[in-house]
Amino acid sequence: MLKLNLHQLMDERNLSIQDVFESTGISRNTISQLYNGKSKGIQLSTLSKLVNFLQLDSVDELFIDSGDYENIGAEIVLGNDFANGYYSEEDISDIFSLNLDVFDDIDFHNTHFFDLAFTDGEEKKDGTQTLFLYLPLSLGEQSDSKILQFESLFDSFEDYPDPYRMNNEFADLLNHVGSNNLDFLVSNAFSNFIIKYKKCLPKTVEYIGFRTDFGYNKIDQFPVSYLWRSDELLDNKKINSLLDIKYYH
């Protein structure tokens, strides 16, 4: 299925909706709907104006094949060390509390305790979904009693077989689903995760963040960087309402 790729083309050129409006005469509302993937159709005259303004060789460059990304899902899961029995779920409280004394035999801030897993939405016979990409998560050095900063940084993947492939796959994912849809996916993944392990979360934690330098581009060192209030993540309906307001109002 073809999908309009205006969000990527504008982001690559560091263009705002106002910039496109002033240069093309296309209404701000139309540009906003096209950018956020909310438009139900597009006029040929609008396509022509966008092609000329963006200096594209053909109208085909305005579209990408969304392929297998239509039903994508995301979730935070426990890392391999949990599956292999090195850690138990009881250790999550110590991890969230940054109790480094318990983990004094490891490089705590470079240890991937959790994974941000992306699935293709296709359910297998056992009820699970096919995993096509994951980003192992560590708790960054910025974490303290008030903020838990989850990170997936390229330099911490020295022991992984092919971080360059992971980088390219995540960049491809970001380009296909768009930054707005990715925000919804990742925010809901963290919301479900924090709700599940609410009892492990210290009462002092006010904020939860996530950032990654995977999918690096020339504009942003961290193309994906979010910060949520912990009380917002603990209310799935609230976090989705806030995202709706952020992108569509």
Side-chain angles (χ1 to χ4, degrees):
M1 179 182 293
L2 291 179
K3 178 180 177 181
L4 189 69
N5 194 31
L6 186 60
H7 69 272
Q8 180 187 353
L9 295 169
M10 287 175 58
D11 289 350
E12 287 176 347
R13 294 162 173 77
N14 203 23
L15 294 169
S16 67
I17 290 174
Q18 183 68 21
D19 293 330
V20 179
F21 162 68
E22 291 178 352
S23 298
T24 65
I26 303 169
S27 73
R28 280 184 288 264
N29 183 57
T30 296
I31 299 167
S32 176
Q33 289 183 337
L34 294 173
Y35 180 89
N36 292 306
K38 287 294 184 178
S39 177
K40 295 182 179 179
I42 182 170
Q43 296 180 350
L44 291 177
S45 59
T46 299
L47 287 174
S48 179
K49 290 176 181 178
L50 290 173
V51 169
N52 291 332
F53 170 62
L54 296 170
Q55 297 182 329
L56 304 178
D57 292 330
S58 74
V59 70
D60 292 340
E61 293 181 51
L62 275 173
F63 297 90
I64 55 175
D65 188 349
S66 61
D68 297 327
Y69 293 98
E70 286 295 302
N71 300 309
I72 187 174
E75 61 179 326
I76 310 297
V77 297
L78 302 182
N80 285 336
D81 285 339
F82 285 92
N84 295 330
Y86 192 71
Y87 302 122
S88 67
E89 293 197 23
E90 288 73 20
D91 292 317
I92 295 177
S93 293
D94 288 320
I95 295 171
F96 285 172
S97 300
L98 307 176
N99 190 350
L100 303 189
D101 291 338
V102 176
F103 304 98
D104 59 359
D105 60 332
I106 64 171
D107 184 357
F108 181 87
H109 293 296
N110 284 314
T111 298
H112 300 115
F113 295 106
F114 312 104
D115 294 333
L116 171 56
F118 294 95
T119 57
D120 62 6
E122 294 292 328
E123 191 167 297
K124 297 187 291 186
K125 291 182 179 180
D126 61 1
T128 62
Q129 294 188 349
T130 303
L131 173 72
F132 72 87
L133 173 64
Y134 72 98
L135 296 181
L137 301 173
S138 58
L139 283 170
E141 294 182 2
Q142 302 91 336
S143 300
D144 57 29
S145 61
K146 290 188 176 182
I147 179 172
L148 292 181
Q149 176 69 44
F150 290 83
E151 296 180 329
S152 187
L153 304 181
F154 188 88
D155 288 343
S156 68
F157 281 71
E158 295 179 356
D159 296 333
Y160 284 75
D162 195 352
Y164 291 97
R165 178 187 57 79
M166 295 172 67
N167 178 73
N168 292 336
E169 288 182 354
F170 185 72
D172 189 48
L173 169 66
L174 181 57
N175 289 338
H176 277 77
V177 304
S179 56
N180 298 2
N181 289 331
L182 188 71
D183 195 346
F184 274 89
L185 283 168
V186 175
S187 295
N188 277 280
F190 271 92
S191 179
N192 293 332
F193 176 65
I194 294 302
I195 289 172
K196 182 176 181 178
Y197 294 106
K198 177 181 178 180
K199 292 182 179 179
C200 301
L201 192 69
K203 294 181 179 180
T204 58
V205 173
E206 298 178 11
Y207 297 94
I208 293 172
F210 166 69
R211 69 176 185 172
T212 180
D213 57 4
F214 278 81
Y216 170 78
N217 58 52
K218 295 180 180 180
I219 299 175
D220 301 307
Q221 179 183 1
F222 299 104
V224 175
S225 180
Y226 307 129
L227 182 66
W228 308 277
R229 288 186 58 88
S230 57
D231 61 332
E232 293 169 354
L233 285 184
L234 287 167
D235 186 336
N236 196 256
K237 290 183 178 180
K238 184 176 182 179
I239 195 67
N240 280 289
S241 295
L242 291 171
L243 289 168
D244 280 331
I245 293 171
K246 179 179 178 180
Y247 290 114
Y248 305 126
H249 289 81

